[in-house]
Amino acid sequence: AKAVSWLRDYLGDAQTRQWAYPYSLNERFASRAYAVYALALHTQPLPNYFSKLFQVRDQIPYEGKAYLLKAGKMVGASPADLNVLAEELLNLSKIAPTTMHFEEPIQSLCWFPQSNVKTTALTLQALLDTKGGFPNDDRVIRWLTQERKIQGRWRTTHENAAALWAFQDYYRRYE
């Protein structure tokens, strides 16, 4: 209850809140998208806030867009808005002959732990959830698996959690 209350307060004064660290605009939008998603998970949907973020989606990092897409489905966003977000994410993919992944172009998100593995996994999850699958989604699974094999492991706990959660969603969708 306290966390939900804090998130609602955070979104309520997100425009004027001053932090000790000067977060970039991209970081602020990404954290707001995550907050809208988290609140929707806790049956506190904010469709109006989704709409506000949708209007500035070109300033939201890929990971934040993935959370916004996931939130959009839960807050009852229009199918057209969901489709726009999904297609924009798909258009940002990096496609190789046998793999597909998503690379965050913004590398200055100091306070938002990011990696291509995490971004790819969250984007796969969001697209599976809202579109029920998409052409080449198996290539995303292959890329995530190959990325792990290169190092013998993923690099961080964030990557582990995101990739395993995406694998679970993919498995539920197709198996």
Side-chain angles (χ1 to χ4, degrees), residues 56-173:
V56 295
R57 67 189 180 279
D58 60 321
Q59 298 176 60
I60 301 175
Y62 296 177
E63 188 174 320
K65 281 185 183 184
Y67 281 122
L68 190 62
L69 181 57
K70 289 167 70 108
K73 183 177 180 190
M74 292 189 286
V75 303
S78 75
D81 286 353
L82 295 177
N83 193 51
V84 165
L85 268 174
E87 291 304 315
E88 285 179 359
L89 282 168
L90 283 169
N91 289 338
L92 300 170
S93 65
K94 305 286 185 187
I95 300 175
T98 61
T99 63
M100 176 178 173
H101 72 284
F102 301 86
E103 290 182 13
E104 190 71 66
I106 302 168
Q107 298 300 321
S108 63
L109 301 176
C110 302
W111 291 96
F112 220 78
Q114 67 180 26
S115 72
N116 292 337
V117 169
K118 186 178 171 199
T119 299
T120 297
L122 288 170
T123 303
L124 171 64
Q125 214 180 12
L127 291 168
L128 286 171
D129 189 36
T130 56
K131 292 181 72 75
F134 56 94
N136 300 319
D137 56 6
D138 59 316
R139 289 181 178 191
V140 176
I141 294 294
R142 189 173 297 117
W143 184 86
L144 287 167
T145 304
Q146 288 176 358
E147 186 68 13
R148 182 179 182 272
K149 286 182 178 180
I150 290 170
Q151 299 286 330
R153 59 181 169 71
W154 290 296
R155 288 167 283 287
T156 67
T157 304
H158 282 258
E159 286 185 358
N160 285 329
L164 291 172
W165 194 7
F167 285 156
Q168 176 186 7
D169 286 355
Y170 184 83
Y171 177 80
R172 285 183 176 155
R173 167 76 174 103

